[in-house]
Structures are given as C-alpha cells and as structure tokens.
Amino acid sequence: MQWTKVLGLGLGAAALLGLGIILGHFAIPKKANSPAPQDLDLEILETVMGQLDANRIRENLRELSREPHLASSPRDEDLVQLLLQRWKDPESGLDSAGASTYEVLLSFPSQEQPNVVDIVGPTGGIIHSCHRTEENVTGEQGGPDVVQPYAAYAPSGTPQGLLVYANRGAEEDFKELQTQGIKLEGTIALTRYGGVGRGAKAVNAAKHGVAGVLVYTDPADINDGLSSPDETFPNSWYLPPSGVERGSYYEYFGDPLTPYLPAVPSSFRVDLANVSGFPPIPTQPIGFQDARDLLCNLNGTLAPATWQGALGCHYRLGPGFRPDGDFPADSQVNVSVYNRLELRNSSNVLGIIRGAVEPDRYVLYGNHRDSWVHGAVDPSSGTAVLLELSRVLGTLLKKGTWRPRRSIVFASWGAEEFGLIGSTEFTEEFFNKLQERTVAYINVDISVFANATLRVQGTPPVQTVVFSATKEIRSPGPGDLSIYDNWIRYFNRSSPVYGLVPSLGSLGAGSDYAPFIHFLGISSMDIAYTYDRSKTSARIYPTYHTAFDTFDYVDKFLDPGFSSHQAVARTAGSVILRLSDSFFLPLKVSDYSETLRSFLQAAQQDLGALLEQHSISLGPLVNAVEKFEAEAAALGQRISTLQKGSPDPLQVRMLNDQLMLLERTFLNPRAFPEERYYSHVLWAPRTGSVVTFPGLSNACSRARDTASGSEAWAEVQRQLSIVVTALEGAAATLRPVADL
C-alpha cells in the first residue's frame, strides 16, 4: 500500500538523520575542558566496604535457612518474594526487579513409598534395614519439609543381589574387582563419594552388569576419620553418623527436556524415553553408620590400602557377607528406589542497577537460591551476602549518591541443585544478548566453607582485578594482614611475570558459573572463604547436602561473628565496583599468556615425542601461542599509553570490547561433540593425564594405543587444529580494531 511506502521513507530518513548525529558527535574534536569520564570512585568504594555489615549478613542467613527450601517448594517460592521485596524497597532497592519462571523436569522421592535399603536373609525375609531418615539431633532434621535422602534422577526399581565394595565407583575400580575374579553381574555395589561424579558411579557400575548402587560418605574423606556421635555435630562441625549427602545424579546441566533451548512453553521438549544423562540403574545414598553395618561384614579379599577408610574395620571386596558376621552368609542387599519425575515451575529472580554511561554492558553477580534441606551453607551463605551487597549498593542508588558506569545485574537462580537449571535456562534464553554485552560473571554460591582464607576460581583475565581488590581489604582475625596477604599463605604459585602470587583455581562445572564460561565464553569467577587444607582432609565442609547444614552449624562452627562472610562481601563488592565503574575494564588478557605457555610446555614435554612418532607437529601450536603473547603484550601497551592521556571514550570503549570479547574467541561449539554445553577449548573437561589443552590431552589419551592412520589419531590432528585456530582468532581479536 502507498502509505506504507511513505511511512517507510520517513522512518528511513529519520534513522539516517539519527545516525548522522551520532557519527557527527564522535567526529567533533573534544574541547580541552570536557568533563572527565566516569571512573572508579575510591570514596564510593570505601563507603561500600564500610557499610557491609556482618550482623546483617547473619540475620539474612537466619531467615533464609529457617526452613527447608527445595527447588519449586512453597518455601522456595516464598524466598522469591523475599528477594523481590528487598530489591523493590523504596529506600534500598534497585532500579528494577522481576522473576521469570521455567517449567523444568525435576526428580523427587515418593512420599507414599519411601526409598529403602534392606538386607534380605536366605529365606527371603528382611533381617536388617538401613535408616530412612537422618537422626533428629537438633529438632530440625525431622520436619515434614525435610526431603528424604535420595539420588535425584536415579530410576525407580528394586534390584537385589550380593554386595560388593567398589571404592569410588570409577571405571578402574570396577576393573580392579574383575581382576580380583569377582563377578559383578547382578550385584549391588557400595561406593563412596569422591573420585568421580555422582552419576558416573552408576554409569560405570551399569557397564559391568551391576544391578544397583549405594553411595556413602566415608569419615576418612570428610570427618578427618572421626565417626562417633560425641565427636560430630552438634558437638563439632563434623558429620553425624546418620548424615546422608543428597545430590543430582544427572550427567549434564540444564533442564533435561530442553537441551540448548529455554524451558518456556514454546520450546520443543525431548520425549522422556529419549532423554540421556540419567543414571541407568537404581541408586541410593546412605549414611556412614549404615555403610559400616554393610562394609564391616563383607566377605572376600582385603581391599587395596588406598580403598580403606575410617569405619573402624578392614574393608573387604565381597561379594556377600562373611559367615562369622552379623548377617547370614547368603544374605543379599535389596535397594528399593521409588523416585518420580515431575514437571515443576522454578523461578529466577533478577535485580538490575542501570548503568549511567554504558547501560548495555552488564556485570552479572549471581547465586542459586534452592537447597536440599535448610541449606545454611549451600547456598544461603552466598544469598545472605548477595542481599547485603545489593542493600548497600541500592541505598547509595536511592540516595542519588552513586550510579555505576555499567549496568549491574543481581541474580538468584532456581533449581541449581538439580543441575544448574535456572542459570542454564537463562543463558539459553538470552544467549545472544549476554554474549554481546556481558563484561564478566561473578558467582558466590557457598560464600564460607570455613574461615581460614579466601579461595577464588576464575579465568586468567580476572586475576588482576581480584588481586587489586583483596590487597585493599583487611583479613578477618588477629593481625593486620590484607585478604591478599593471608590468601598467599595458603594458596600460592610462582609466576614468571609476578613472582609469588595467590593461585586461582580453574572453573569446572560445580556451580552456576558453568554455563557462563563453558557455553557463553564469559570471563567468570567464583569467590568463597575456605579452610586450611593442612589441618583437615575434608573434601568439602562435612554437613554438605545433609539436614545438618543449619544456621546454628554456621553460627557456632564455620564462622562465628560472620567476619568471613563480611570479607567475601567486601571482596565481591570491590570486584563488582571495579568492573562496573572503571573507565578501562580491569581485565588483563596478557595473564592468559602464562596459561597458554604452561599448556604448550606440557604438550611439548609429555606429548611431543608421541606426536612425532605419528608425524604430527606442534609447530603451528607454538606459532599460535607466540602470536597470542605478542598481541596481548601489544594491547597492554596501547592501554597503558591511553591511560596516561585523555582518550576519547569511543577509543576506550573499543579497547574494552576487545578485553570483554577475548574469552568468546576460545569457543568452538563443535570441538567436543560428546559433551553438552562445553565449547571452551581451554577449560572443557580433561580426561587425559597431561595438563594441557583438554581436547588435545583427551584425544592423545584415547589414541595412544592405536595405529597410525586410525580415526583416533585423526581426532588428535583435529583437536590440534581446533586449538591453533582458536588461539590465532584470539590473537586477531587483540589487534587494533582497524587492523583487519
């Protein structure tokens, strides 16, 4: 129609006029008296550090952990409303806040038919039953909302067979049992936490014909060997004998029915029969008091020394019980699992502070909200910090004292415990926007494991901003050390560039940072306070995922006075302000050079000779690493030069985009077809023993015993090409933007 053409011409002219104004603005030389660009305000930073209140964090935690809040439960939804109320508060709220809901597939035990583990005598009668619930030692473990211990997503079933002990449930553990002449077909395998992921224990067992799996926490792994009730909570921080670690046994992350798609009504859903990643056989966790009854009565060969634990007996392999034990020799173990799958609504809550200058650049700070039971440590210690930090920043915002240069997004993720579901659905729904606009993601899940020292995991570019923040904050406890100086006493490494520095751990997939780094390629970090590893062998805080993770547990044993929570709040707050307010983004891409050089040297030393035997050269990889090092150093020099002058904001914006987008250049969605969501060629899961580029390490591990010209060696060459291409692309991203 004619009027649509006229309207189109008018809109086109308006767009061209607007574009001309924008271009004209940046073409006009700036006057000498132009106002200085907004930059990090050290007075605001000091104000925020001073206003973060340990007692308020304590009271936040008391409220958050008052009742169990399993994902999608009524209490979980109550906490959604609490967050919205805080973030909409007229005196301390944010610019906007809202909740988004996804319909996701979760797994729960049957309330009508609880999961049970029984010992069945030779005549078929039940002669012993394991505990179905944890002991109610403080009055908080027996409530109606305390979910029975279970393995989420484990299938229902009632397998029965002779018991074997399979250590950690790793593939090599089951092979060791077979080497010992043990027939695994139809057995029940007792495994302990650690070594491999929860779900992998069932997957490995099923490969060898095992019918069902039991999983327990050995006191040697979490209690420093202590196991009697008077040595454990509520008398100490150690796990009581009845404590059972719940958890998701799903192999992937995100909603199982909508991989790579947000779990919204319009999305395609996989047929339940075609869903992959669930444990293939019934699995049930138990407490170590029940594991003692089973394991200390086993028959068979003595288990290897490295398989022994702290249950007060010599561990044997089975199969079956010994004739002089507490149970008849022919007794079997029955594992009855009645888990069910349900579609449930789960919510994310987002609170936003709009940036004053660059509102289209986001600094994300998140933690999940859901817990297995009360979840005082996991995750409420992190949410308590999140609420206090948003209160302090929100108060400054409402007073008109401050507004960040870039936007800050606070996030409370839903259903993390079932497989990072809320954060993954968010990254799937807003994939393009987040990739284009997100500066960094800061994760504070468990904010305090214990109160000895800071522990940070992250990608190399965030190292400098974390170091800068921690050097300015006093460490909790006696003395006058900074958090940085205290940290370096516990975790350190020798850097060829900086000398002795605190060491940052790498990011796996243990919390909500996973989809941001592995799927989106966003520079990420995870911040927490933790324990002195020289004083405990605990793989994690002892009451992890049990009904004993309560407010009193934190208040009495983990962080009396909440000074470590306050230290985490100050560290995270300082990092947020530095990332959101600094004119030049404090991401130092040249710090990636150390990682790449380390990976290259490992490949040369440990794989070089093997690769040469198969006519594969590391020369292109050497050249790619050198290119990256040169371009990263050159970019650092350009930034240093600009910082000494009065650069045009557009110049700085272009440089900042190079810093922000570098991490994306390491993504290759086709690099690891056997993995889901993992596309970062530097941080994907590594199964090979050589600590180098994971794709190369894994491929060489698989190809090592195959002939030249095999598909396995072709995959080695493919993985090498993938890494070289990624590094060359990264180097190109760091060159001056006009240099094509």
Side-chain angles (χ1 to χ4, degrees), residues 315-388:
Y315 296 6
R316 294 184 176 275
L317 301 178
F321 297 111
R322 68 177 195 270
D324 61 341
D326 296 337
F327 315 118
D330 294 336
S331 300
Q332 296 186 342
V333 173
N334 179 276
V335 180
S336 295
V337 174
Y338 302 103
N339 295 345
R340 65 185 189 275
L341 296 169
E342 292 186 22
L343 283 172
R344 292 280 191 94
N345 288 331
S346 180
S347 301
N348 292 337
V349 188
L350 299 179
I352 300 169
I353 299 177
R354 189 180 63 257
V357 182
E358 300 180 72
D360 63 332
R361 290 293 177 262
Y362 311 147
V363 176
L364 267 66
Y365 175 98
N367 176 38
H368 71 100
R369 182 184 61 259
D370 64 302
S371 66
W372 286 111
V373 194
H374 294 87
V377 182
D378 182 10
S380 300
S381 64
T383 306
V385 166
L386 171 72
L387 285 172
E388 173 61 2

Side-chain angles (χ1 to χ4, degrees), residues 89-102:
D89 186 277
E91 295 183 354
S92 61
L94 313 179
D95 285 322
S96 61
S100 57
T101 301
Y102 300 97

Side-chain angles (χ1 to χ4, degrees), residues 5 111 116 130 197 253 275 288 295 300 304 371 376 395 417 450 550:
K5 293 182 181 179
Q111 293 181 329
V116 294
C130 294
F253 45 89
V275 172
F288 68 74
L295 192 47
S371 66
T395 300
E417 295 292 6
T550 62

Side-chain angles (χ1 to χ4, degrees), residues 610 700-707 713:
L610 177 66
C700 285
S701 178
R702 291 190 291 264
R704 187 177 294 271
D705 297 324
T706 67
W713 281 109

Side-chain angles (χ1 to χ4, degrees), residues 63-226:
E63 174 61 22
L64 291 164
S65 61
R66 182 165 52 85
E67 299 175 32
H69 45 287
L70 191 65
S72 76
S73 67
R75 178 59 180 169
D76 182 34
E77 290 306 307
D78 288 345
L79 295 183
V80 169
Q81 297 307 313
L82 183 149
L83 284 152
L84 289 173
Q85 178 188 352
R86 297 281 187 95
W87 288 347
K88 292 181 178 181
D89 186 277
E91 295 183 354
S92 61
L94 313 179
D95 285 322
S96 61
S100 57
T101 301
Y102 300 97
E103 187 179 44
V104 298
L105 187 70
L106 304 183
S107 166
F108 302 97
S110 170
Q111 293 181 329
E112 298 77 25
Q113 200 169 15
N115 298 344
V116 294
V117 177
D118 298 318
I119 297 178
V120 179
T123 61
I126 295 174
I127 58 176
H128 179 82
S129 295
C130 294
H131 295 79
R132 298 183 184 183
T133 60
E134 292 155 303
E135 185 181 357
N136 192 7
V137 300
T138 66
E140 299 164 288
Q141 291 77 41
D145 295 327
V146 175
V147 69
Q148 177 201 0
Y150 75 113
Y153 297 109
S156 59
T158 57
Q160 181 172 310
L162 296 176
L163 186 69
V164 297
Y165 171 51
N167 192 31
R168 310 281 183 183
E171 174 66 17
E172 56 266 28
D173 295 332
F174 288 104
K175 287 182 177 178
E176 173 64 21
L177 292 178
Q178 290 180 321
T179 300
Q180 295 288 338
I182 296 173
K183 294 181 179 179
L184 296 173
E185 190 74 31
T187 61
I188 304 297
L190 176 62
T191 65
R192 59 203 266 190
Y193 276 117
V196 298
R198 299 184 194 101
K201 299 176 192 296
V203 171
N204 294 334
K207 289 178 185 176
H208 295 275
V210 172
V213 174
L214 299 175
V215 190
Y216 81 100
T217 301
D218 198 287
D221 301 326
I222 210 156
N223 273 13
D224 296 319
L226 302 177

